[in-house]
Amino acid sequence: MTFISPALRSETQDLAPLRMPLSAAERLVALETGRSLVKGARARADERPYLDAFLQEFGLSNQEGIALMCLAEALLRIPDDETADRLIAEKLTSGNWDSHSGRSDSLFVNASTWGLMLTGRLVELPDEVRSNANGWLRQLTQRASEPMVRQALRRAMKIIGSEFVVGRDIDEALRRSASDASLALCSFDMLGEGARTDADAERYFDAYVKAIEQIGRSKANRNTGLDRSLHDRSSISIKLSALDPRYTAIHRERVRTRLIPRALELARMAAACGIGLTVDAEEQDRLEISLEIFAAMASDPATRDWSGLGLAVQAYGRRAMAVIEHITELAETQKRALAVRLVKGAYWDSEIKRAQERGLVEYPVYTRKCSTDVSYLACARALFAASDRLYPQFATHNAHTIAAVLSLASARREAIGGSVDFEFQRLHGMGTLLYDEARRQLTSLPRVRVYAPVGPHADLLAYLVRRLLENGANTSFVNRFMDERVSIEQVVSDPISEIETLSDIAHERIPLPTGLYGASRLNSRGVDFGRRSNIEQIQQCLKNTLNLPSPESRYVTPDDVEMAFNKASLAFLDWRRQPVAERAEILERAADLLDQSRDSFLTLLATEAGKTAADAIAEIRETIDFCRYYAAAARQLQGAALVLDGPTGERNELSHVPRGVWCCISPWNFPLAIFTGQIVAALVTGNTVVAKPAETTPEVALAMSDLLYRAGVPRDVLHVLPMVGKEFGAVALRQSTLAGVVFTGSTQTAQWLNRTLAARDGAILPLIAETGGINAMIVDSTALPEQVVDDVLSSAFGSAGQRCSALRLLCLQADSAERILEMLNGAMESLVVGDPTDLTTDVGPVITASAATDLERHIERMCERGRLRKRTALAATTGAVAKDRFVRPALIEIATAKDLDREAFGPILHVLRYRTEELPQLLEDLRANGYGLTLGIQTRLDGTRRTLFEGTLAGNVYVNRNMIGAVVGVQPFGGTGLSGTGPKAGGPDYLTRFTTERVITINTTATGGNTALLTLE
Ligand SMILES: Cc1cc2nc3c(=O)[nH]c(=O)nc-3n(C[C@H](O)[C@H](O)[C@H](O)COP(=O)(O)OP(=O)(O)OC[C@H]3O[C@@H](n4cnc5c(N)ncnc54)[C@H](O)[C@@H]3O)c2cc1C
């Protein structure tokens, strides 16, 4: 059974059928019960667990909460003391810790606060910290020295950590579960980031296997007796992302052959052990593929009689109800019982961000908390309606949600005249007081299972941060639950009533991804790879074959260049007079036309330039953004003259007027985006253009110029002349009508252009040059290795390394280098290098066979200076592309930055190690090569980030993310030094360089006196 996502609709339309999940009477009961629970819990505030108190005290709204989150996220993984000390010092000086001291009766808050008060006095958290708080606090004020502070803080973090995890391994967790009544019924979760390598996936799989066996055998589970329901036993939760490093919808085949068998094996083991197994819900992008895996698990005859298979469903997802309906049908057709854990969803902020970055047409999640709450209740009702097959599990810490679910349960009981089996779930360390209170007040409270993370402290960081983020938010129930400043009526309110008061279901301050840039321009539309229909459509475009003529057959002659300049200079006379608004409209029309022609450009880019789907889509989007951004920028620049302040009786106006005929020379690595960006910037400001596209990619350029003509650019205003660069340059640069040159390509050619222009007689012409760089990423030991590896892979090997912004030199702090290198090795192993028309391909060919040969030579040369750490394999088939155009990604370790003295424009990554004290020298070495294009920084230390930013020549600096894919208008792009002249493409100053400034000063008193002054009242 396949899950097909419902068609895209507005948020209002999606929520409309769910708006009334409770009857009026049920709503009233839910409100009363919820409020009574909060009231009861508040009366017992002194019993609240450490964590609740802690989360309330250190929210996201205070600096200390954020500093603490930073520390918690990074401290435990830092291997070297020096960096740990710097992080501690930095984060602690950024907060006012005294203000928290003693604010809560909870020892935990006090312990952490004191642990965090690094003020020269200080701080040790001995083991007896919990048992002898007073004695411990006295000690704090008596001792002081850095190692102690560090030790204390590490321990403080572990204390925080131990509040979130039940054990460092499954044995410890089970021992705790057996001895602690509040942890008797758990769903154990093995912590960790998603697998980045096959080895990770195997490790996680083994951990799950071991955990399932142990949970099945555990004393606590045996005590429940075989006659009792499976749901009375502790169970396991698994993350599919832990089972394969390529768990995405695009890698469907691999998921089928590798991940599904693993998932089936775990399910069979859980069934054999008689325990439940729930598949956690992860990103919305993975929803469809997760349902495919789940369907395979649910259709397995070997486990049909086992009722423990479960799936988590996120109510914030706008497809949630469709998912519930799908699972209900799956249970029916497979004639088996399934469990559904209903959650609201843990990744809301990331979902919103990702959708904006990708330019999705709609968000996959609701944008208001009350919509999620209503969706949750609607899904809950649907689960009860299907409770003959489904076992509902409600995961929440929200009193109103608990109360509303209970009232739905009682309605269901009445309707069927019998009992309904279901449970609540809470996270370990949270919601204890609330559920205790519910148990006290309500006879109908069913079993409550605890989601129990298991793992070493260093692995809990990401989890911890997610919980802090989730609960620190102002909209979070946990954040306000015990806060006496917030009335009980506010804490427990009816989300349905809230929805009724809204004029628009979509949040007014969260624009749709396409509306990100407000009224000035539309964001380009991206592709939602979470929907199979899109994937299939893109795959089809890639597979369409095009028989392109040879590039040479398109080449024009030097005479054509002369003719083009003549025509362009004549056309300039009219074009410059065209109102800027009309020129801008042409660009916007071009953007819309390109959006409509996306599929054909996708095919063309894949065929002519060997682009992978992801790269081609990104390039088309960038082109559209250039058109819209420059249209808006030109309106602003040339819409009206700037009136300048001055003495009365005089009018001074500054205007930007076009220069004349521009020569635009673009490279093959972005045959669409850079080609178009240069041209439209010149055109929209009123210039005419003679453009030379790259020798190897004339078809893309010609297709785009056709599109520009269709959008309204007159033919004589734009001339596109494919030919050999040198021949073109020789003719173009001697044209007397030439008014400026814009160029992207090699530094040598830029220098030739510069010298040739300088040697001309007559006017001094502007040159805008964007060239290459030896781009580095500096990674210290505070960085998260998994994130580093993700970002390195995309920065170094994306687009087969053929981006000028690509990462060439990875600089790793020696203390954490080996761990990152190992992970990087493993992750490179699963890179797919091959046919660009296959959607699963990560690294396509380089532009020509001779480029590949040069790159291989570079690899050989660098291996002589250093050591080859890794080369990936080439796929067995490379489609229509000859094998000699492929360069298998390489990782080469070198000793110093000086060893890398030239840019190698391909998938070759050099890596070096540095010690902290060598950082200034490293920065010096990087500057010494003269390039300044991009720099990546991965650190949690603000001080390091500032030092590197100040010390680098790089025009674009990226912190804790990848360093490619600059977005037009968001990250204006361009380098300094040998990397370019500026102004930055896609930035606010770019258009001015295509114009000259003119000022007119009019003596307004000359014709009859200063009337404006004389009539002043
Ligand atoms: C046992 C258990 C298992 C879990 N398993 C998973 C899992 O597999 N996958 C997963 O993603 N999460 C999982 N979670 C986390 C869960 O999603 C969060 O704990 C839950 O969202 C918090 O909801 P609440 O009812 O406790 O709190 P509330 O404070 O009532 O709700 C907070 C939630 O509302 C939503 N929200 C907040 N702001 C907005 C907004 N502006 N627009 C729309 N929605 C908004 C978010 O989902 C946020 O987490 C699990 C939680 C538990 C207890």
Side-chain angles (χ1 to χ4, degrees), residues 443-463:
T443 47
S444 59
L445 192 75
R447 52 178 87 82
V448 179
R449 187 182 305 267
V450 181
Y451 188 86
V454 180
H457 289 132
D459 275 357
L460 68 86
L461 305 171
Y463 176 81

Side-chain angles (χ1 to χ4, degrees), residues 551 554-557 691-695 698-699 701-702 720-724:
R554 294 294 201 173
Y555 288 2
V556 299
T557 65
K692 188 205 77 69
E695 282 94 329
E699 295 305 325
L702 291 170
V720 177
L721 307 177
M723 66 189 292
V724 173

Side-chain angles (χ1 to χ4, degrees), residues 281 314 344-346 348 367-369 372 396-398 470 477:
Q314 295 159 324
K344 288 181 190 164
W348 180 78
T367 53
R368 290 187 198 264
K369 164 86 166 61
T372 295
T396 178
H397 312 104
N398 182 318
E470 180 184 304
F477 177 81

Side-chain angles (χ1 to χ4, degrees), residues 431-494:
T432 326
L433 187 57
L434 182 63
Y435 277 105
D436 282 354
E437 187 58 29
R439 178 81 59 215
R440 199 181 303 248
Q441 288 190 21
L442 309 164
T443 47
S444 59
L445 192 75
R447 52 178 87 82
V448 179
R449 187 182 305 267
V450 181
Y451 188 86
V454 180
H457 289 132
D459 275 357
L460 68 86
L461 305 171
Y463 176 81
L464 186 65
V465 169
R466 194 168 313 136
R467 293 285 87 85
L468 285 170
L469 274 172
E470 180 184 304
N471 297 295
N474 284 339
T475 53
S476 157
F477 177 81
V478 172
N479 183 265
R480 308 187 315 160
F481 163 50
M482 296 297 284
D483 188 344
E484 293 285 355
R485 289 167 300 185
V486 188
S487 73
I488 291 181
E489 287 67 31
Q490 280 173 291
V491 175
V492 179
S493 60
D494 178 17

Side-chain angles (χ1 to χ4, degrees), residues 11 187 237 239 279-282 312-314 316 341 343-348 352 365-373 376 394-398 401 425-427 430 449-451 467 470-471 473 475-479 507 510:
E11 214 175 320
S187 184
S237 294
K239 286 200 172 43
V279 175
D280 279 355
E282 301 184 66
V313 176
Q314 295 159 324
Y316 67 20
R341 175 203 297 151
V343 302
K344 288 181 190 164
Y347 314 87
W348 180 78
I352 296 287
V365 295
Y366 292 106
T367 53
R368 290 187 198 264
K369 164 86 166 61
C370 54
S371 304
T372 295
D373 287 336
Y376 190 95
F394 298 103
T396 178
H397 312 104
N398 182 318
T401 312
Q425 298 192 349
R426 66 174 181 84
L427 296 172
M430 289 171 57
R449 187 182 305 267
V450 181
Y451 188 86
R467 293 285 87 85
E470 180 184 304
N471 297 295
T475 53
S476 157
F477 177 81
V478 172
N479 183 265
H507 202 297
I510 306 178

Side-chain angles (χ1 to χ4, degrees), residues 648-957:
T648 183
E650 188 175 283
R651 187 174 168 84
N652 295 289
E653 286 180 359
L654 170 73
S655 53
H656 290 83
V657 301
R659 286 174 173 272
V661 186
W662 273 75
C663 168
C664 302
I665 307 174
S666 51
W668 50 262
N669 64 335
F670 285 90
L672 184 65
I674 297 183
F675 169 80
T676 311
Q678 293 178 344
I679 289 175
V680 297
L683 291 179
V684 77
T685 38
N687 302 283
T688 54
V689 167
V690 177
K692 188 205 77 69
E695 282 94 329
T696 41
T697 52
E699 295 305 325
V700 173
L702 291 170
M704 186 63 203
S705 51
D706 269 350
L707 190 145
L708 287 168
Y709 298 139
R710 272 194 284 142
V713 176
R715 293 219 165 232
D716 281 349
V717 163
L718 168 65
H719 303 263
V720 177
L721 307 177
M723 66 189 292
V724 173
K726 270 195 183 134
E727 289 175 19
F728 174 83
V731 186
L733 264 67
R734 60 165 196 258
Q735 299 303 309
S736 59
T737 51
L738 180 67
V741 177
V742 52
F743 168 78
T744 302
S746 73
T747 308
Q748 294 94 306
T749 308
Q751 276 163 342
W752 179 84
L753 290 167
N754 191 27
R755 279 193 291 267
T756 313
L757 286 175
R760 280 168 58 109
D761 286 333
I764 296 169
L765 301 187
L767 166 67
I768 306 172
E770 253 186 71
T771 61
I774 301 183
N775 310 312
M777 180 188 280
I778 298 178
V779 178
D780 75 12
S781 66
T782 63
L784 180 67
E786 286 81 3
Q787 184 183 10
V788 173
V789 168
D790 289 349
D791 295 341
V792 166
L793 284 185
S794 59
S795 304
F797 305 129
S799 312
Q802 299 174 113
R803 289 172 180 261
C804 44
S805 54
L807 169 62
R808 312 287 176 206
L809 180 61
L810 175 63
C811 310
L812 298 174
Q813 184 182 326
D815 306 87
S816 53
E818 203 47 49
R819 165 130 198 262
I820 292 175
L821 282 172
E822 263 171 37
M823 208 182 281
L824 190 55
N825 262 329
M828 283 175 71
E829 202 110 287
S830 51
L831 279 180
V832 181
V833 186
D835 183 2
T837 66
D838 187 331
L839 253 185
T840 61
T841 295
D842 300 296
V843 182
V846 298
I847 189 69
T848 58
S850 82
T853 311
D854 287 348
L855 290 166
E856 290 296 344
R857 271 197 218 110
H858 175 88
I859 292 172
E860 269 172 38
R861 203 172 46 245
M862 292 310 294
C863 286
E864 282 161 18
R865 293 181 195 177
R867 176 161 76 101
L868 182 68
R869 295 262 328 199
K870 179 84 191 165
R871 282 272 348 231
T872 59
L874 182 62
T877 56
T878 55
V881 187
K883 282 207 160 50
D884 62 2
R885 269 183 63 195
F886 287 88
V887 175
R888 292 176 294 120
L891 178 65
I892 305 168
E893 183 156 358
I894 56 177
T896 83
K898 289 180 194 138
D899 286 342
L900 183 62
D901 48 14
R902 71 181 73 167
E903 180 188 31
F905 215 65
I908 305 168
L909 177 63
H910 310 82
V911 59
L912 62 78
R913 299 167 200 238
Y914 70 91
R915 291 196 303 275
T916 309
E917 63 274 20
E918 294 168 342
L919 195 57
Q921 182 59 48
L922 173 63
L923 200 51
E924 196 46 49
D925 291 349
L926 294 176
R927 287 175 64 97
N929 67 36
Y931 288 99
L933 195 52
T934 58
L935 175 75
I937 302 173
Q938 299 258 354
T939 181
R940 301 297 189 259
L941 286 166
D942 296 340
T944 302
R945 183 207 355 113
R946 273 195 299 271
T947 310
L948 293 176
F949 183 65
E950 278 160 20
T952 180
L953 285 176
N956 287 70
V957 176

